[in-house]
Amino acid sequence: MTVIENDHFAASFDTRTGTFALRRRNGAPFLAGGASCANTSVGKQSTASPGRVHSVETSEFHDRFGPGRRLSIVSRDPQKLIDLSVDIALCDARPMVTIAVRCTNVSSRDVVVASLEPARVVASEGGVLRVPGVSACLTNGEMFYDAGAVHAFGAEPPAGARPPIKGVRLVNESIAPRHATIASWWNIGLFSGYEREGVVLGYLENMRALGVVLVARHADDEISFAAEAVHAPPIRLAPGQSIDSDRFMLNVASSPHAALEEYADAVGATRNARASSIVNGWCSWFYTLTQVSEDEVLRNAAFAARHLRAFGLQYIQIDDGYQRSAGDWEGNERFPHGMQWMAERIKAHGFKPGLWIAPYVVSERSDVFRLHPEWLVRRRDGSLQRIGNWENESSPEALREAVKSYCLDITHPEAAQWLRELFEKVAQRWGYEMIKIDFVAWSILAAETYRDLTLSSAQVYRRGLEIMRAAAGERCHVLECGPGNVTVGLIDSMRIEADVNYGYAAAAWTQYFDGPACSLAAAAKRYYFHRRTWVNDVDHVCLELLTPQQAEAAATSIALSGGNLISGDRLVDLDPAKLEILKKVLPSHGEAAVPVDLFDADVPTTFVWHVKRPFAEWSVVAFFNPDLRNTAERRFEFRRLGLDPAKGYIAFDFWKQRLVGEIRNELGVTVQPGSVTLLALHASAGRPQFLSTSRHVTQGGIEIEDVRWNESDRTLSGVSLGPPQSAHDVFVYLPDSHPWTWEKPAHVRDYAGYSLKLVDAQIVRVHVRFENEGRVAWTISADDWA
């Protein structure tokens, strides 16, 4: 048996059984009986199959994670059909293991490969992954419409546990017949408790295949799993040809949150993630749908320039409905001046223009369909494959379509060149600085075959994004409504939830807070990807149909994601109170709040931001109540919130603009129906201290430049930031109570650029006025309030 080891794991391969094992550094077993497999037209080929001949070599390597050690295994087939090569790597700097498998056709005829399994650890085949206390898991969905689910082991599998992608057939329907098999796209998190070690199983890359992980708990502390890298459609290997799986990763960390975050860190580092560009903008889709017009866009752009640009809004994005037809992306009759003119007008208002495109969808009315049918995806029988957002061509939705659509096949060189020229035109000639890519699930990823039969859908999809990125340039923000796990490093942001806000007030509330794919659930269950693999795009901020209290909750939920913050209302008609709510979440803070109760329910409701600024650190905690009828009680010990149990904290309610008081040991709140309670928590300093503002939900993360306490003259000084011709309040806490009396009434004290007023027995309000400048300094003397 050949062994490699580091400070985290020891990995070994048994040439007699064809299986690998992992042990902790202290000798405790972690994984046993693992095999690597290929699912092919000549059967399942496994390193553990009888009669195979194995050889093993060890080596050292140095990659972007630092130095490490590798086991390289060659597993030769006595039938001379399929040889397998397996790499198992240990990273010295991280508690992670990666496994990859290569499948080589050593026969004399073509072989079809449906999927590869870099790691198959199944109890009925002698495999086991030991995770002490494991009780639940967090799955991931394929793309925006499925945010994954929290599943407690021992319960029935969640609805739709099998990944719902057209054209994908898993070889592994079940890996534990007497136990629920849970399927997850890309990765899965294993949960044993919030203060216990977390484990994540997931793909480090998805460039060659669509990664699926199947998991079952077959005994206490024991997990079976299969990592299946699916080729859809299956790939044909000629004699002598090989195909590699992507690297599959097992990583452990001190907590389940840390394990998820470190997994995403590794994925992003592997593919040089683009995760810094954030869109603060407006989009036409949710109220115009496909009836958008240039007049409507420019009216809202002009309004946004007057009221929102100074608060951080930067982009104006035109969505579906501007085009002549899918495949002909010139402006239609509602855009008579053309799309280049529109981009110029948006820029004239001081914004960056954005444009929606469904790059693979080709209408039968387009010139592409009429002149180049050879560029389109075909079925296995050679006929053109019709596509649409429906189950099949016989479905009522498909039968109702008046205009049929087809799919661009970019494995045809001329189609690839057309796609390149399209994105060069949009970004370089027209001048759009943000492009939203949509409708990929039922187009390029649903193809029965491609012109090039040697490529998988993942390879084709990533190749398409490579073309788009090269053509659009490095400065263009690419927002993808697709499987960003395949295109890490090429996209800037990814839509992560099901944007189905269609209807009236009830539909709007449902979109944000009801169901496993709602905005709040997606922001929680995919928080760990944000700024690690891409920027999260949760949903548009649509406030018009909600009550003011509901609007506060919806805006807060999007702001907590830390990602793209895009208004979806008709701004020119938005109620002034809701416009003020929108201003309070602009611009995006950039950091994702952590869902405290991530594994407690499918829609977590408690989030914490730990805000760190050079002058102070504080926490912002959000408690949501999706129930529109009943109040909700929330109570957490400080440790769960990331607070120091030995300290006392001062709490301030942002939306109610009131002091909650000093709390110790735990935080409990009563949340009203259909609302959010958003609290700033500062460790008690025993002196006057900055507490909150009325400007932004971070309560100082955007709008405070500096705050300093001078003990010698007992003054608190600060510098506030804000748009010229605006004003907001800063709230300062006084440790001593100052009851209102006739002898000392709470008069306003005016100074240059600000005023002071005692508005509570322990709160001084600093009303900051930004007249012609965006920066105001203010000072409070503690002795003035003695």
Side-chain angles (χ1 to χ4, degrees):
M1 184 176 295
T2 306
V3 180
I4 56 173
E5 59 185 359
N6 62 13
D7 290 340
H8 309 290
F9 295 106
S12 61
F13 186 83
D14 190 332
T15 56
R16 298 169 303 166
T17 62
T19 61
F20 56 83
L22 299 171
R23 288 186 172 273
R24 306 280 191 157
R25 193 66 179 87
N26 63 6
F30 181 52
L31 183 153
S36 299
C37 311
N39 298 301
T40 75
S41 56
V42 291
K44 190 179 199 73
Q45 306 293 318
S46 170
T47 58
S49 298
R52 296 186 76 92
V53 178
H54 305 100
S55 60
V56 185
E57 293 183 354
T58 65
S59 61
E60 296 183 353
F61 65 89
H62 195 287
D63 62 13
R64 64 182 62 245
F65 300 117
R69 296 162 177 78
R70 178 184 290 116
L71 283 177
S72 298
I73 301 118
V74 176
S75 177
R76 302 194 183 280
D77 183 3
Q79 305 299 318
K80 298 191 180 301
L81 298 174
I82 297 292
D83 282 354
L84 300 173
S85 302
V86 182
D87 276 351
I88 301 173
L90 304 182
C91 173
D92 289 352
R94 299 185 179 217
M96 59 182 266
V97 181
T98 64
I99 306 169
V101 60
R102 168 177 290 184
C103 165
T104 303
N105 180 5
V106 294
S107 73
S108 59
R109 61 183 187 273
D110 287 358
V111 172
V112 175
V113 180
S115 63
L116 299 177
E117 297 179 55
R120 181 177 178 84
V121 181
V122 177
S124 61
E125 301 165 12
V128 62
L129 176 69
R130 300 186 185 278
V131 184
V134 63
S135 59
C137 64
L138 173 65
T139 67
N140 198 354
E142 182 201 2
M143 55 182 87
F144 64 91
Y145 48 71
D146 177 8
V150 175
H151 178 66
F153 289 119
E156 290 299 313
R162 180 181 172 188
I165 180 173
K166 293 181 180 181
V168 167
R169 292 184 179 274
L170 295 179
V171 173
N172 299 291
E173 293 290 340
S174 174
I175 57 173
R178 295 188 302 278
H179 305 276
T181 295
I182 308 303
S184 180
W185 282 96
W186 323 117
N187 62 281
I188 192 166
L190 302 178
F191 176 76
S192 300
Y194 286 106
E195 296 184 10
R196 299 186 66 176
E197 182 181 79
V199 177
V200 171
L201 313 175
Y203 290 85
L204 200 53
E205 307 114 336
N206 290 278
M207 298 187 298
R208 300 179 177 91
L210 305 174
V212 177
V213 187
L214 297 103
V215 166
R217 189 182 69 174
H218 58 261
D220 290 345
D221 304 339
E222 296 186 356
I223 292 290
S224 290
F225 74 90
E228 186 173 350
V230 181
H231 302 126
I235 289 179
R236 184 175 297 276
L237 284 187
Q241 287 187 331
S242 299
I243 185 170
D244 295 283
S245 77
D246 296 297
R247 287 180 292 174
F248 183 75
M249 171 180 169
L250 299 87
N251 77 291
V252 300
S254 59
S255 71
H257 287 93
L260 292 166
E261 293 164 10
E262 291 175 15
Y263 164 72
D265 273 333
V267 172
T270 299
R271 300 311 311 160
N272 297 315
R274 304 170 59 95
S276 59
S277 174
I278 295 176
V279 173
N280 292 284
W282 173 86
C283 173
S284 63
W285 174 250
F286 272 117
Y287 78 90
T288 68
L289 300 179
T290 57
Q291 298 306 303
V292 63
S293 69
E294 66 177 36
D295 288 343
E296 186 66 26
V297 172
L298 293 177
R299 284 183 69 198
N300 282 274
F303 183 93
R306 292 193 302 272
H307 298 284
L308 293 173
R309 188 178 63 201
F311 287 84
L313 194 131
Q314 296 175 304
Y315 290 81
I316 298 292
Q317 186 237 309
I318 304 167
D319 215 277
D320 188 7
Y322 69 88
Q323 69 275 17
R324 293 174 184 171
S325 65
D328 183 351
W329 299 103
E330 299 288 339
N332 57 29
E333 69 281 0
R334 292 190 301 278
F335 288 80
H337 293 91
M339 303 314 294
Q340 180 174 341
W341 181 89
M342 277 300 297
E344 292 169 353
R345 295 307 304 151
I346 290 170
K347 289 180 180 180
H349 283 294
F351 296 113
K352 298 177 181 181
L355 195 66
W356 174 96
I357 296 179
Y360 301 110
V361 182
V362 176
S363 165
E364 63 182 349
R365 293 179 176 174
S366 68
D367 286 347
V368 171
F369 177 82
R370 183 172 57 86
L371 300 176
H372 298 287
E374 71 277 12
W375 292 1
L376 304 179
V377 165
R378 295 182 177 270
R379 296 193 180 278
R380 295 181 184 90
D381 63 7
S383 63
L384 287 178
Q385 180 182 341
R386 185 183 165 196
I387 61 170
N389 190 18
W390 26 254
E391 190 63 31
N392 56 62
E393 288 190 49
S394 300
S395 66
E397 296 83 1
L399 295 174
R400 284 196 298 267
E401 284 187 346
V403 180
K404 296 181 175 64
S405 296
Y406 299 88
C407 182
L408 188 74
D409 185 350
I410 60 164
T411 69
H412 191 295
E414 293 177 6
Q417 180 61 25
W418 178 88
L419 182 66
R420 182 176 294 106
E421 291 173 358
L422 170 64
F423 274 73
E424 285 176 350
K425 177 173 64 175
V426 170
Q428 307 297 344
R429 297 208 301 275
W430 289 355
Y432 285 88
E433 299 178 58
M434 174 257 192
I435 299 176
K436 176 181 174 183
I437 298 167
D438 207 354
F439 294 174
V440 300
W442 47 267
S443 60
I444 194 71
L445 291 171
E448 282 192 12
T449 63
Y450 301 111
R451 183 174 183 269
D452 187 339
L453 298 176
T454 67
L455 297 177
S456 71
S457 57
Q459 290 171 308
V460 173
Y461 189 67
R462 187 169 177 90
R463 177 180 292 184
L465 260 295
E466 289 172 345
I467 292 170
M468 297 177 210
R469 171 53 71 191
E474 291 299 309
R475 297 179 63 184
C476 183
H477 184 107
V478 175
L479 163 57
E480 180 189 25
C481 299
N485 303 72
V486 177
T487 52
V488 176
L490 299 171
I491 62 172
D492 294 286
S493 60
M494 184 181 112
R495 174 58 58 86
I496 64 167
E497 56 74 58
D499 53 346
V500 289
N501 186 358
Y502 307 123
Y504 302 113
W509 186 255
T510 295
Q511 165 66 21
Y512 289 116
F513 295 107
D514 188 10
C518 72
S519 301
L520 190 67
K525 290 184 284 191
R526 286 174 164 157
Y527 88 93
Y528 55 95
F529 287 115
H530 178 62
R531 298 295 290 269
R532 294 181 174 91
T533 55
W534 51 69
V535 167
N536 277 348
D537 182 281
V538 178
D539 195 11
H540 297 165
V541 182
C542 297
L543 307 180
E544 179 188 16
L545 298 177
L546 301 173
T547 68
Q549 185 171 269
Q550 291 171 342
E552 292 170 355
T556 302
S557 72
I558 305 303
L560 286 170
S561 76
N564 291 349
L565 206 151
I566 303 175
S567 171
D569 283 316
R570 192 182 202 205
L571 296 175
V572 295
D573 292 344
L574 192 60
D575 179 272
K578 292 174 183 174
L579 183 64
E580 290 304 309
I581 293 172
L582 179 59
K583 290 177 181 178
K584 291 180 189 299
V585 297
L586 281 170
S588 172
H589 174 53
E591 299 300 325
V594 176
V596 176
D597 53 345
L598 178 59
F599 289 88
D600 294 354
D602 233 9
V603 184
T605 57
T606 303
F607 294 73
V608 61
W609 255 330
H610 295 297
V611 184
K612 296 182 178 181
R613 302 284 279 119
F615 58 86
E617 296 183 9
W618 65 95
S619 298
V620 176
V621 185
F623 300 93
F624 294 91
N625 182 7
D627 193 322
L628 294 175
R629 295 185 177 182
N630 303 300
T631 59
E633 301 293 330
R634 304 274 188 263
R635 188 169 297 277
F636 289 90
E637 294 181 351
F638 278 6
R639 195 182 305 278
R640 281 284 301 278
L641 298 172
L643 304 177
D644 187 342
K647 293 182 178 180
Y649 289 83
I650 314 300
F652 189 89
D653 189 316
F654 176 77
W655 290 112
K656 291 184 173 63
Q657 298 286 277
R658 67 177 180 85
L659 177 68
V660 174
E662 185 166 0
I663 56 175
R664 291 189 175 274
N665 302 319
E666 64 179 16
L667 175 58
V669 298
T670 299
V671 190
Q672 296 303 307
S675 73
V676 62
T677 296
L678 186 67
L679 303 179
L681 300 174
H682 289 253
S684 178
R687 56 166 175 77
Q689 61 188 110
F690 157 72
L691 201 57
S692 182
T693 81
S694 64
R695 161 66 184 95
H696 194 271
V697 288
T698 57
Q699 303 176 67
I702 297 293
E703 68 278 29
I704 297 290
E705 180 181 285
D706 192 24
V707 176
R708 298 189 182 189
W709 169 253
N710 188 319
E711 182 63 37
S712 63
D713 60 10
R714 292 179 50 76
T715 58
L716 186 74
S717 301
V719 177
S720 291
L721 307 175
Q725 308 305 314
S726 73
H728 66 253
D729 295 329
V730 177
F731 299 98
V732 172
Y733 175 76
L734 304 177
D736 297 325
S737 181
H738 299 75
W740 193 96
T741 67
W742 281 101
E743 290 74 22
K744 289 188 176 181
H747 292 309
V748 176
R749 304 179 186 186
D750 282 316
Y751 301 90
Y754 68 97
S755 64
L756 302 179
K757 181 179 174 63
L758 196 64
V759 294
D760 180 275
Q762 293 181 277
I763 295 292
V764 175
R765 183 193 67 199
V766 186
H767 184 67
V768 189
R769 302 181 302 275
F770 303 92
E771 295 171 353
N772 297 315
E773 297 183 359
R775 187 173 181 272
V776 171
W778 47 265
T779 299
I780 294 176
S781 172
D783 294 337
D784 288 348
W785 309 96

